[in-house]
């Protein structure tokens, strides 16, 4: 992942710089100050992976897939309340979907200020909050609201929005494709059953639609259902945000679009332009034939 033999702007390679730092007077002074001021052993601050594992430290994030997030998603697995984790280190939840397209509506339901308040066991599905929908807003408010519910640890959240590092709980974000890009998350309906399985040991995870409120096979429902009625991008999104979202989508969406591949973007744009030109030509020919 890191070529330490490459030269840096100093003219030295990373290996040379790190060797200098390892044995430098400045480093020793810093280590001594840490011991004297805080009583902390510097070697207890940053641990090699093998030692960290011996002491029971685990990785933080998991990247679940599944029929609701075929391109991927993210959850900070270590932030899930330990009391809802099974003895084998796996978080398992199956609950009723509560679908929202605005964070404010979801928060109102969490606070009991809607006709159908959120209940213990529910899975909040917040859609239309990706790059196309709103510029991919940070949804800390909803995770914060859940944190202070007496039963908040028994509620999960699945969304195409993003989270910051302060979010806690069983919160799966960055779901791809996003709802407005045709992602299956946009085909979930209120009352469907969503299942989450997050293994905090292996960092494997699944987020799936496992049953539907109307009895349709889940796979068939995600294939044939239309995107949630009325779902659309927010009004008054700045033009630069709309353009960024469009280019990201061309580049591969929330996950593939984060790879800045100019050649692939240009190729895709050219292919789309050619397809549009062909369609226009066919339509013109149809008009000529009609006349």
């Amino acid at each position: 992942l890191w070529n330490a033999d490459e030269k840096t702007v100093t003219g030295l390679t990373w290996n040379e710089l790190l060797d200098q730092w390892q044995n430098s007077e400045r480093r020793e002074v810093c280590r001594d100050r840490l011991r004297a001021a805080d009583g902390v052993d510097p070697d207890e601050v940053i641990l090699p992976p093998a030692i960290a594992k011996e002491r029971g430290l685990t990785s933080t994030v998991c990247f679940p897939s599944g029929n609701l997030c075929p391109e991927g998603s993210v959850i900070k697995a270590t932030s899930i309340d330990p009391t809802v984790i099974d003895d084998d280190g796996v978080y398992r939840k199956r609950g009723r979907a509560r679908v929202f397209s605005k964070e404010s509506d979801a928060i109102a339901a969490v606070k009991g200020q809607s006709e159908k308040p959120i209940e213990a066991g529910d899975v909040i599905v917040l859609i239309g909050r990706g790059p196309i929908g709103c510029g991919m807003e940070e949804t800390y408010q909803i995770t914060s609201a859940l944190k202070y519910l007496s039963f908040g640890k028994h509620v999960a959240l699945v969304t195409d929005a993003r989270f910051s590092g302060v979010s806690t709980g069983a919160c799966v974000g960055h779901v791809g494709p996003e709802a407005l890009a045709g992602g299956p998350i946009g085909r979930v309906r209120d009352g469907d059953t969503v299942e989450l399985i997050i293994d905090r040991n292996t960092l494997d995870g699944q987020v799936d639609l496992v049953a539907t409120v109307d009895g349709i096979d889940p796979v068939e429902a995600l294939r044939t259902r239309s995107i949630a009625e009325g779902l659309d991008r927010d009004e008054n999104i700045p033009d630069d945000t709309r353009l960024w979202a469009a280019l990201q989508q061309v580049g591969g969406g929330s996950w593939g679009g984060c790879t800045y591949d100019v050649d692939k973007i240009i190729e895709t744009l050219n292919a789309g332009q050619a397809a549009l030109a062909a369609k226009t030509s066919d339509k013109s020919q149809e008009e000529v034939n009609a006349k």
Side-chain angles (χ1 to χ4, degrees):
L1 294 178
W2 182 16
N3 184 357
D5 292 320
E6 289 289 346
K7 282 190 177 182
T8 67
V9 292
T10 65
L12 303 174
T13 67
W14 277 110
N15 275 330
E16 291 169 335
L17 284 173
L18 292 172
D19 287 343
Q20 286 186 6
W21 171 248
Q22 178 74 18
N23 303 309
S24 70
E25 180 182 352
R26 181 183 175 192
R27 178 171 182 264
E28 197 54 48
V29 168
C30 290
R31 290 168 64 87
D32 288 343
R33 287 184 61 184
L34 188 60
R35 294 187 190 96
D38 300 314
V40 174
D41 181 351
D43 292 326
E44 296 291 309
V45 178
I46 300 176
L47 305 176
I51 296 178
K53 188 174 182 179
E54 282 180 9
R55 298 186 183 182
L57 299 180
T58 64
S59 297
T60 302
V61 294
C62 173
F63 301 93
S65 57
N67 64 23
L68 288 184
C69 43
E71 288 184 357
S73 62
V74 176
I75 181 171
K76 190 164 63 174
T78 49
S79 74
I80 303 174
D81 191 301
T83 63
V84 296
I85 303 293
D86 292 340
D87 292 339
D88 59 358
V90 180
Y91 171 76
R92 298 177 176 89
K93 179 173 186 59
R94 181 177 286 210
R96 175 185 64 170
R98 294 297 313 281
V99 182
F100 302 91
S101 59
K102 295 284 188 281
E103 185 184 22
S104 57
D105 293 339
I107 292 175
V110 167
K111 292 181 176 180
Q113 299 172 349
S114 66
E115 293 183 4
K116 293 173 58 180
I118 296 297
E119 300 176 359
D122 285 345
V123 177
I124 298 173
V125 181
L126 181 60
I127 62 176
R129 303 289 89 197
I132 297 174
C134 65
M136 205 171 200
E137 65 188 8
E138 200 280 339
T139 52
Y140 168 68
Q141 297 302 320
I142 182 64
T143 60
S144 177
L146 286 171
K147 185 176 180 180
Y148 293 101
L149 275 184
S150 60
F151 57 85
K153 65 183 181 182
H154 298 296
V155 177
L157 171 63
V158 180
T159 180
D160 52 12
R162 64 185 175 89
F163 300 126
S164 71
V166 299
S167 293
T168 59
C171 306
V172 178
H174 298 250
V175 166
E178 63 178 293
L180 284 169
I185 190 175
R187 295 182 169 87
V188 179
R189 301 288 187 264
D190 248 59
D192 287 349
T193 302
V194 175
E195 181 180 64
L196 293 83
I197 300 177
I198 308 296
D199 190 325
R200 302 202 307 174
N201 301 311
T202 64
L203 297 182
D204 293 319
Q206 288 285 127
V207 181
D208 294 300
L209 180 70
V210 294
T212 62
V213 68
D214 46 14
I216 302 174
D217 176 74
V219 175
E220 184 68 10
L222 293 179
R223 187 180 69 84
T224 60
R225 278 177 175 173
S226 59
I227 297 298
E229 185 177 353
L231 185 65
D232 200 356
R233 66 177 179 84
D234 288 358
E235 297 179 358
N236 303 319
I237 296 180
D239 286 344
D240 56 350
T241 301
R242 291 178 59 198
L243 180 59
W244 162 73
L247 287 173
Q248 186 196 52
Q249 190 58 36
V250 169
S254 296
W255 289 85
C258 63
T259 303
Y260 190 58
D261 189 336
V262 175
D263 290 336
K264 185 174 180 180
I265 292 174
I266 293 174
E267 180 184 343
T268 305
L269 289 172
N270 287 339
Q273 187 176 29
L276 179 61
K279 185 176 180 180
T280 302
S281 176
D282 291 343
K283 185 176 180 181
S284 299
Q285 188 60 48
E286 289 175 4
E287 291 174 349
V288 170
N289 293 341
K291 290 179 180 180

